[in-house]
Amino acid sequence: MICTLSNPPLSSIILNAQTVGYKAAEALDNWIAGNTVGEDDIFFEPIDIVTRQSTDILAIDDQQAAQAIRFIRNNARRDIHVNDVVDQSTLSIRALQQRFRKAIGRGINQEIQRVRIGQLAESIINSNQTICQIACNLKFNDINHVSRMFRKVMGMTPVEYRKRFGTGRALKE
């Protein structure tokens, strides 16, 4: 919450607080029982990084591609398509696609999907809503399609993602 209150909003690291809590409780239980606790330090991998305005700088020389990427990031909560991005540009679809691939190594549609799946993933671990409700709020039309797309990008289903990275606040599905 503090990160979003600052100006500009600060990027932050999503920690797996639930796992950290369990490991700390386990170590404390072992210590109280007189067992060897093990190492003094326990390290945990972060779940993800939330990029906010403080570090969300596009280091792309191509201004048309950078403008298109900004449009995608600012409008991805709607059901946007390649034509919507092209309409915001002065370039043809072919020219913008080529510049996109040169600038970031993927096409416009791939970037739209990547950003939208990132928003879905963030909402899944930070919301009490069901995955269907979250998908609906993000204007995903077909839950089966979004589940397949999520699995392709994230390597697991939305439900598996919530179970693995959820903070414990999320509803059981």
Side-chain angles (χ1 to χ4, degrees):
M1 185 169 93
I2 292 171
C3 293
T4 59
L5 293 175
S6 67
N7 190 13
L10 301 173
S11 295
S12 61
I13 297 171
I14 300 174
L15 300 174
N16 195 342
Q18 188 173 10
T19 302
V20 171
Y22 282 120
K23 291 290 186 181
E26 182 181 54
L28 181 61
D29 187 51
N30 284 333
W31 181 72
I32 290 172
N35 298 333
T36 305
V37 176
E39 296 182 32
D40 291 339
D41 297 323
I42 301 172
F43 296 95
F44 295 92
E45 296 269 333
I47 294 174
D48 202 0
I49 296 174
V50 178
T51 303
R52 294 190 181 91
Q53 196 175 358
S54 66
T55 55
D56 192 16
I57 297 169
L58 293 173
I60 297 174
D61 292 332
D62 187 328
Q63 292 303 312
Q64 293 279 353
Q67 181 181 359
I69 292 169
R70 267 190 222 95
F71 176 80
I72 291 169
R73 290 181 181 178
N74 292 336
N75 293 281
R77 290 198 170 268
R78 320 186 278 119
D79 186 20
I80 62 172
H81 301 279
V82 172
N83 287 335
D84 298 317
V85 179
V86 173
D87 289 345
Q88 298 299 313
S89 170
T90 59
L91 300 173
S92 69
I93 188 169
R94 186 165 190 265
L96 189 57
Q97 283 281 20
Q98 288 174 335
R99 287 184 176 204
F100 236 78
R101 288 201 184 281
K102 185 178 179 186
I104 63 171
R106 59 186 162 269
I108 298 169
N109 193 50
Q110 290 172 310
E111 181 65 5
I112 292 169
Q113 288 181 351
R114 188 191 70 77
V115 170
R116 295 194 77 213
I117 291 298
Q119 290 176 342
L120 179 63
E122 184 179 345
S123 296
I124 285 171
I125 60 174
N126 291 315
S127 173
N128 290 329
Q129 294 181 320
T130 66
I131 292 170
C132 287
Q133 289 171 323
I134 295 167
C136 184
N137 290 343
L138 292 172
K139 308 294 189 260
F140 285 104
N141 300 323
D142 180 357
I143 190 64
N144 293 323
H145 175 70
V146 77
S147 291
R148 284 190 304 274
M149 196 167 50
F150 191 94
R151 184 181 192 116
K152 182 180 174 184
V153 172
M154 303 302 284
M156 63 186 80
T157 67
V159 172
E160 291 169 339
Y161 190 82
R162 176 171 271 174
K163 285 179 182 174
R164 182 167 179 193
F165 298 117
T167 60
R169 298 180 318 178
L171 295 173
K172 300 278 185 209
E173 294 195 47

